[in-house]
PDB file of all heavy atoms in Angstrom:
ATOM      1  N   ALA A 340     113.837 123.101  87.475  1.00 96.00           N
ATOM      2  CA  ALA A 340     114.039 121.680  87.783  1.00 96.00           C
ATOM      3  C   ALA A 340     115.055 121.476  88.895  1.00 96.00           C
ATOM      4  O   ALA A 340     115.078 120.415  89.523  1.00 96.00           O
ATOM      5  CB  ALA A 340     114.488 120.927  86.540  1.00 96.00           C
ATOM      6  N   LEU A 341     115.884 122.480  89.147  1.00 95.00           N
ATOM      7  CA  LEU A 341     116.912 122.344  90.181  1.00 95.00           C
ATOM      8  C   LEU A 341     116.472 122.899  91.531  1.00 95.00           C
ATOM      9  O   LEU A 341     117.213 122.795  92.513  1.00 95.00           O
ATOM     10  CB  LEU A 341     118.201 123.049  89.728  1.00 95.00           C
ATOM     11  CG  LEU A 341     118.832 122.520  88.433  1.00 95.00           C
ATOM     12  CD1 LEU A 341     120.107 123.301  88.121  1.00 95.00           C
ATOM     13  CD2 LEU A 341     119.146 121.040  88.541  1.00 95.00           C
ATOM     14  N   LEU A 342     115.283 123.489  91.590  1.00 95.00           N
ATOM     15  CA  LEU A 342     114.814 124.058  92.847  1.00 95.00           C
ATOM     16  C   LEU A 342     114.573 122.947  93.868  1.00 95.00           C
ATOM     17  O   LEU A 342     114.010 121.907  93.557  1.00 95.00           O
ATOM     18  CB  LEU A 342     113.530 124.859  92.637  1.00 95.00           C
ATOM     19  CG  LEU A 342     113.628 126.105  91.745  1.00 95.00           C
ATOM     20  CD1 LEU A 342     112.274 126.799  91.663  1.00 95.00           C
ATOM     21  CD2 LEU A 342     114.700 127.059  92.256  1.00 95.00           C
ATOM     22  N   LYS A 343     114.999 123.195  95.092  1.00 93.00           N
ATOM     23  CA  LYS A 343     114.846 122.221  96.176  1.00 93.00           C
ATOM     24  C   LYS A 343     113.882 122.710  97.242  1.00 93.00           C
ATOM     25  O   LYS A 343     112.987 121.994  97.667  1.00 93.00           O
ATOM     26  CB  LYS A 343     116.215 121.922  96.806  1.00 93.00           C
ATOM     27  CG  LYS A 343     116.167 120.923  97.937  1.00 93.00           C
ATOM     28  CD  LYS A 343     117.571 120.664  98.477  1.00 93.00           C
ATOM     29  CE  LYS A 343     117.523 119.682  99.647  1.00 93.00           C
ATOM     30  NZ  LYS A 343     118.878 119.423 100.203  1.00 93.00           N
ATOM     31  N   ASP A 344     114.064 123.956  97.679  1.00 94.00           N
ATOM     32  CA  ASP A 344     113.210 124.534  98.714  1.00 94.00           C
ATOM     33  C   ASP A 344     111.853 124.884  98.111  1.00 94.00           C
ATOM     34  O   ASP A 344     111.785 125.654  97.149  1.00 94.00           O
ATOM     35  CB  ASP A 344     113.876 125.792  99.280  1.00 94.00           C
ATOM     36  CG  ASP A 344     113.155 126.330 100.507  1.00 94.00           C
ATOM     37  OD1 ASP A 344     111.957 126.041 100.670  1.00 94.00           O
ATOM     38  OD2 ASP A 344     113.797 127.056 101.295  1.00 94.00           O
ATOM     39  N   PRO A 345     110.756 124.342  98.641  1.00 93.00           N
ATOM     40  CA  PRO A 345     109.431 124.660  98.087  1.00 93.00           C
ATOM     41  C   PRO A 345     109.128 126.151  98.080  1.00 93.00           C
ATOM     42  O   PRO A 345     108.388 126.628  97.215  1.00 93.00           O
ATOM     43  CB  PRO A 345     108.474 123.899  99.021  1.00 93.00           C
ATOM     44  CG  PRO A 345     109.294 122.816  99.609  1.00 93.00           C
ATOM     45  CD  PRO A 345     110.675 123.374  99.761  1.00 93.00           C
ATOM     46  N   ASP A 346     109.706 126.889  99.032  1.00 94.00           N
ATOM     47  CA  ASP A 346     109.456 128.324  99.075  1.00 94.00           C
ATOM     48  C   ASP A 346     110.020 129.046  97.854  1.00 94.00           C
ATOM     49  O   ASP A 346     109.560 130.132  97.490  1.00 94.00           O
ATOM     50  CB  ASP A 346     110.062 128.931 100.345  1.00 94.00           C
ATOM     51  CG  ASP A 346     109.330 128.486 101.599  1.00 94.00           C
ATOM     52  OD1 ASP A 346     108.140 128.132 101.495  1.00 94.00           O
ATOM     53  OD2 ASP A 346     109.948 128.471 102.674  1.00 94.00           O
ATOM     54  N   ASP A 347     111.036 128.458  97.216  1.00 95.00           N
ATOM     55  CA  ASP A 347     111.642 129.107  96.058  1.00 95.00           C
ATOM     56  C   ASP A 347     110.683 129.151  94.867  1.00 95.00           C
ATOM     57  O   ASP A 347     110.769 130.057  94.033  1.00 95.00           O
ATOM     58  CB  ASP A 347     112.933 128.379  95.667  1.00 95.00           C
ATOM     59  CG  ASP A 347     114.068 128.638  96.650  1.00 95.00           C
ATOM     60  OD1 ASP A 347     113.992 129.649  97.376  1.00 95.00           O
ATOM     61  OD2 ASP A 347     115.013 127.831  96.698  1.00 95.00           O
ATOM     62  N   PHE A 348     109.787 128.178  94.773  1.00 95.00           N
ATOM     63  CA  PHE A 348     108.780 128.225  93.710  1.00 95.00           C
ATOM     64  C   PHE A 348     107.893 129.452  93.910  1.00 95.00           C
ATOM     65  O   PHE A 348     107.593 130.182  92.960  1.00 95.00           O
ATOM     66  CB  PHE A 348     107.924 126.955  93.742  1.00 95.00           C
ATOM     67  CG  PHE A 348     108.633 125.724  93.261  1.00 95.00           C
ATOM     68  CD1 PHE A 348     109.483 125.012  94.095  1.00 95.00           C
ATOM     69  CD2 PHE A 348     108.446 125.264  91.970  1.00 95.00           C
ATOM     70  CE1 PHE A 348     110.131 123.868  93.656  1.00 95.00           C
ATOM     71  CE2 PHE A 348     109.084 124.121  91.514  1.00 95.00           C
ATOM     72  CZ  PHE A 348     109.936 123.419  92.367  1.00 95.00           C
ATOM     73  N   GLU A 349     107.495 129.651  95.149  1.00 92.00           N
ATOM     74  CA  GLU A 349     106.632 130.781  95.478  1.00 92.00           C
ATOM     75  C   GLU A 349     107.346 132.104  95.221  1.00 92.00           C
ATOM     76  O   GLU A 349     106.771 133.045  94.656  1.00 92.00           O
ATOM     77  CB  GLU A 349     106.211 130.669  96.948  1.00 92.00           C
ATOM     78  CG  GLU A 349     105.052 131.558  97.341  1.00 92.00           C
ATOM     79  CD  GLU A 349     104.589 131.231  98.760  1.00 92.00           C
ATOM     80  OE1 GLU A 349     105.435 131.188  99.668  1.00 92.00           O
ATOM     81  OE2 GLU A 349     103.373 131.028  98.942  1.00 92.00           O
ATOM     82  N   LYS A 350     108.635 132.175  95.611  1.00 93.00           N
ATOM     83  CA  LYS A 350     109.396 133.399  95.417  1.00 93.00           C
ATOM     84  C   LYS A 350     109.547 133.759  93.954  1.00 93.00           C
ATOM     85  O   LYS A 350     109.638 134.937  93.591  1.00 93.00           O
ATOM     86  CB  LYS A 350     110.781 133.244  96.065  1.00 93.00           C
ATOM     87  CG  LYS A 350     110.769 133.179  97.581  1.00 93.00           C
ATOM     88  CD  LYS A 350     112.144 132.857  98.132  1.00 93.00           C
ATOM     89  CE  LYS A 350     112.113 132.688  99.641  1.00 93.00           C
ATOM     90  NZ  LYS A 350     113.434 132.244 100.185  1.00 93.00           N
ATOM     91  N   GLN A 351     109.599 132.745  93.098  1.00 94.00           N
ATOM     92  CA  GLN A 351     109.759 132.988  91.667  1.00 94.00           C
ATOM     93  C   GLN A 351     108.425 133.105  90.935  1.00 94.00           C
ATOM     94  O   GLN A 351     108.375 133.169  89.706  1.00 94.00           O
ATOM     95  CB  GLN A 351     110.605 131.876  91.036  1.00 94.00           C
ATOM     96  CG  GLN A 351     112.047 131.847  91.536  1.00 94.00           C
ATOM     97  CD  GLN A 351     112.929 130.929  90.709  1.00 94.00           C
ATOM     98  OE1 GLN A 351     112.651 130.634  89.550  1.00 94.00           O
ATOM     99  NE2 GLN A 351     114.033 130.468  91.303  1.00 94.00           N
ATOM    100  N   GLY A 352     107.346 133.138  91.713  1.00 94.00           N
ATOM    101  CA  GLY A 352     106.031 133.320  91.103  1.00 94.00           C
ATOM    102  C   GLY A 352     105.537 132.118  90.330  1.00 94.00           C
ATOM    103  O   GLY A 352     104.738 132.251  89.391  1.00 94.00           O
ATOM    104  N   ILE A 353     105.998 130.943  90.718  1.00 95.00           N
ATOM    105  CA  ILE A 353     105.593 129.706  90.022  1.00 95.00           C
ATOM    106  C   ILE A 353     104.451 129.052  90.788  1.00 95.00           C
ATOM    107  O   ILE A 353     104.552 128.811  91.997  1.00 95.00           O
ATOM    108  CB  ILE A 353     106.778 128.739  89.891  1.00 95.00           C
ATOM    109  CG1 ILE A 353     107.900 129.387  89.075  1.00 95.00           C
ATOM    110  CG2 ILE A 353     106.335 127.439  89.246  1.00 95.00           C
ATOM    111  CD1 ILE A 353     109.187 128.616  89.075  1.00 95.00           C
ATOM    112  N   VAL A 354     103.374 128.778  90.084  1.00 94.00           N
ATOM    113  CA  VAL A 354     102.174 128.220  90.701  1.00 94.00           C
ATOM    114  C   VAL A 354     101.951 126.801  90.176  1.00 94.00           C
ATOM    115  O   VAL A 354     102.102 126.534  88.981  1.00 94.00           O
ATOM    116  CB  VAL A 354     100.940 129.089  90.381  1.00 94.00           C
ATOM    117  CG1 VAL A 354      99.674 128.476  90.979  1.00 94.00           C
ATOM    118  CG2 VAL A 354     101.144 130.511  90.895  1.00 94.00           C
ATOM    119  N   SER A 355     101.602 125.905  91.087  1.00 95.00           N
ATOM    120  CA  SER A 355     101.312 124.522  90.713  1.00 95.00           C
ATOM    121  C   SER A 355      99.811 124.355  90.496  1.00 95.00           C
ATOM    122  O   SER A 355      99.000 124.760  91.331  1.00 95.00           O
ATOM    123  CB  SER A 355     101.782 123.576  91.820  1.00 95.00           C
ATOM    124  OG  SER A 355     101.263 122.275  91.633  1.00 95.00           O
ATOM    125  N   VAL A 356      99.460 123.764  89.362  1.00 95.00           N
ATOM    126  CA  VAL A 356      98.057 123.441  89.081  1.00 95.00           C
ATOM    127  C   VAL A 356      97.882 121.939  89.236  1.00 95.00           C
ATOM    128  O   VAL A 356      98.354 121.151  88.409  1.00 95.00           O
ATOM    129  CB  VAL A 356      97.647 123.880  87.663  1.00 95.00           C
ATOM    130  CG1 VAL A 356      96.181 123.525  87.401  1.00 95.00           C
ATOM    131  CG2 VAL A 356      97.872 125.372  87.489  1.00 95.00           C
ATOM    132  N   ARG A 357      97.232 121.537  90.296  1.00 94.00           N
ATOM    133  CA  ARG A 357      97.100 120.121  90.618  1.00 94.00           C
ATOM    134  C   ARG A 357      96.146 119.410  89.670  1.00 94.00           C
ATOM    135  O   ARG A 357      95.203 119.995  89.148  1.00 94.00           O
ATOM    136  CB  ARG A 357      96.593 119.957  92.053  1.00 94.00           C
ATOM    137  CG  ARG A 357      97.615 120.394  93.091  1.00 94.00           C
ATOM    138  CD  ARG A 357      98.702 119.352  93.210  1.00 94.00           C
ATOM    139  NE  ARG A 357      99.804 119.781  94.019  1.00 94.00           N
ATOM    140  CZ  ARG A 357      99.780 119.909  95.353  1.00 94.00           C
ATOM    141  NH1 ARG A 357      98.687 119.682  96.014  1.00 94.00           N
ATOM    142  NH2 ARG A 357     100.858 120.276  95.998  1.00 94.00           N
TER     143      ARG A 357
END
Side-chain angles (χ1 to χ4, degrees):
L341 300 181
L342 296 181
K343 180 179 178 181
D344 189 337
D346 291 335
D347 287 339
F348 288 81
E349 195 172 51
K350 291 173 184 175
Q351 295 191 23
I353 299 171
V354 178
S355 167
V356 180
R357 292 285 171 72

